[in-house]
Amino acid sequence: MHEQMKQIISQAMNTRFEFERKLIERALEDETFKQELLSNPKAVYARESGE
């Protein structure tokens, strides 16, 4: 695979990992957010990611 493509994929994976880590941390600190995330993860993900 081309080196530049590897870097782009790696960066995208790291960005997603960081985003998901922040969601999990917030859910651990905020019970209301946690329940919302568990009941409707797609909507929370879209809202929090700005989609």
Side-chain angles (χ1 to χ4, degrees):
M1 186 180 287
H2 190 268
E3 191 60 36
Q4 185 178 14
M5 184 62 78
K6 286 182 182 178
Q7 289 177 331
I8 292 169
I9 291 170
S10 178
Q11 183 178 16
M13 289 175 65
N14 288 336
T15 300
R16 181 176 176 167
F17 176 78
E18 270 302 304
F19 175 72
E20 290 175 352
R21 185 185 62 78
K22 288 178 182 181
L23 287 179
I24 292 167
E25 285 179 354
R26 184 170 169 195
L28 291 171
E29 296 172 358
D30 182 342
E31 185 63 31
T32 302
F33 181 77
K34 177 182 176 180
Q35 292 306 315
E36 182 182 11
L37 183 60
L38 290 171
S39 67
N40 198 352
K42 287 182 181 180
V44 174
Y45 194 95
R47 182 187 72 222
E48 296 298 317
S49 68
E51 291 182 1

